Amino acid sequence: MRKALLAAAVLATMATPGFAQNYKFVIVPKAMNNPFFDFARDGCQKRAKELGNIECIYKGPVEHEPATQAQIIQDFITQKVDGLAISVADVAAMTKSIEAATAAGITVITFDADAPSSKRIAYIGTDNKEFGVALGKQLLKLRPDGGKYAMLSGGPGAENLAERVNGVREALKGSKWTEVGGSPTFCNDDPALGVQQMTDLRTAVPDLAAIIPVGGWPMFAPEGFKAFASKSKKDIDAGKFTLVVADTLKMQLELLNEGYANALIGQRPFEMGEKAMDTLLAIKKGQKVPEIIHTGLDVVTKDNVAAMLK
């Protein structure tokens, strides 16, 4: 009887929070100088604190460098972390990294940017084809008269961005809009380069009627973007030049509110970070999770930007 009571006491003690399994989960962005990923980090850390038995680690390349991202993944494999949530900068390179992590017994999911043919268990983020379609439809709604347009993208090896580009083209197919040669340009997630490429497009194509950045990069350098848009402000106000931009970070909402863009289509990176922690924990507990978890989109124009800023 005494042994039974002792065993029961030990089991009860082990069931307390202090004896719960602790996990180290890592959020690996494409680039840490991209403020979009700050929100995924914040969501991850908030959820980890709420759950109590998770440490959220946030680390990636400072800039968009797929080789550096692969090396960071290798370092975490060596450290034997419990789980990885990766925004895939380059599908080919990261597919190999995900295979190596999985072989080492590490749970791997992707967020924001997927590697669908890899051994990752789940993807959390935007339906990127739908995202591109939403960008294209918003341009068509604002300017059904059409004209010449160009797109600006990030890294050429990012599957999520390729899907957005294809979505824009699908939405505008059969309309009066025509894509110019050399589109999309690739800024490798560099805000300053994104602004420069938009300037170059306007110079190269004087009758360019619209630019669609499929990521928010040029707006992440708000002063540079404002300087670019200021030169076309009369055309923007007159409906002769249109800017429909991806993402809805605060500085972007402010630029839209000030009239330096026409519309934003936003993602939900904070929610991606939260769901990444929930999903990795569920997998570690042996629970079945959906392979694809979409986090939705937000459409922002001059009509609702003030409400979004509150």
Side-chain angles (χ1 to χ4, degrees):
M1 180 67 176
R2 184 179 177 184
K3 288 182 178 179
L5 289 172
L6 181 60
V10 170
L11 288 171
T13 303
M14 291 179 68
T16 63
F19 285 83
Q21 174 70 56
N22 293 316
Y23 298 105
K24 287 187 176 181
F25 293 154
V26 186
I27 288 274
V28 185
K30 292 180 186 176
M32 293 180 72
N33 68 347
N34 184 337
F36 174 87
F37 292 110
D38 291 348
F39 289 90
R41 174 203 63 202
D42 294 347
C44 166
Q45 292 178 346
K46 173 181 176 289
R47 192 67 182 123
K49 186 176 181 180
E50 290 170 349
L51 292 167
N53 63 328
I54 292 175
E55 178 185 356
C56 170
I57 301 168
Y58 176 74
K59 185 176 181 181
V62 175
E63 299 178 343
H64 184 279
E65 295 175 339
T68 303
Q69 188 182 46
Q71 182 56 56
I72 288 169
I73 297 298
Q74 184 56 52
D75 291 344
F76 282 124
I77 293 172
T78 302
Q79 294 172 34
K80 298 181 180 180
V81 298
D82 297 295
L84 294 164
I86 305 167
S87 177
V88 177
D90 182 273
V91 172
M94 203 46 50
T95 295
K96 295 178 182 178
S97 296
I98 292 171
E99 183 174 356
T102 301
I106 296 172
T107 301
V108 182
I109 64 174
T110 56
F111 80 100
D112 171 61
D114 195 14
S117 298
S118 71
K119 292 186 176 181
R120 61 95 173 112
I121 297 173
Y123 162 73
I124 298 168
T126 305
D127 181 330
N128 285 288
K129 183 69 174 293
E130 180 187 345
F131 192 10
V133 169
L135 287 163
K137 283 185 174 179
Q138 190 60 40
L139 176 61
L140 198 56
K141 181 178 180 179
L142 291 167
R143 296 279 303 278
D145 53 309
K148 296 178 181 178
Y149 79 96
M151 285 184 278
L152 184 145
S153 190
E159 178 74 16
N160 66 325
L161 302 181
E163 289 176 356
R164 294 179 198 178
V165 167
N166 288 335
V168 172
R169 288 171 176 162
E170 180 178 304
L172 297 177
K173 185 177 181 181
S175 73
K176 296 179 180 179
W177 284 99
T178 57
E179 186 176 0
V180 301
S183 170
T185 60
F186 297 99
C187 71
N188 289 317
D189 292 18
D190 183 328
L193 181 57
V195 172
Q196 184 59 54
Q197 288 180 344
M198 293 179 75
T199 302
D200 293 343
L201 284 166
R202 280 288 272 169
T203 302
V205 188
D207 59 343
L208 189 67
I211 298 179
I212 303 177
V214 298
W217 316 286
M219 278 184 154
F220 297 163
E223 293 307 314
F225 185 88
K226 187 180 291 187
F228 160 78
S230 293
K231 296 176 182 177
S232 303
K233 192 68 166 60
K234 288 184 179 179
D235 287 343
I236 293 173
D237 292 341
K240 295 179 179 179
F241 182 60
T242 304
L243 294 168
V244 178
V245 187
D247 298 325
T248 50
L249 275 60
K250 184 179 179 182
M251 77 276 280
Q252 295 181 269
L253 294 171
E254 290 171 345
L255 287 165
L256 173 60
N257 196 42
E258 293 168 12
Y260 293 105
N262 301 93
L264 304 173
I265 307 295
Q267 305 178 80
R268 298 169 184 170
F270 189 90
E271 188 176 338
M272 294 179 199
E274 288 183 307
K275 288 186 179 297
M277 295 300 97
D278 289 334
T279 303
L280 285 169
L281 182 59
I283 294 168
K284 296 301 288 187
K285 289 182 175 180
Q287 298 171 10
K288 187 174 178 60
V289 300
E291 182 182 357
I292 305 295
I293 302 169
H294 287 145
T295 48
L297 297 170
D298 298 300
V299 178
V300 186
T301 66
K302 64 179 182 179
D303 297 326
N304 63 339
V305 66
M308 289 289 288
L309 277 167
K310 290 180 179 179

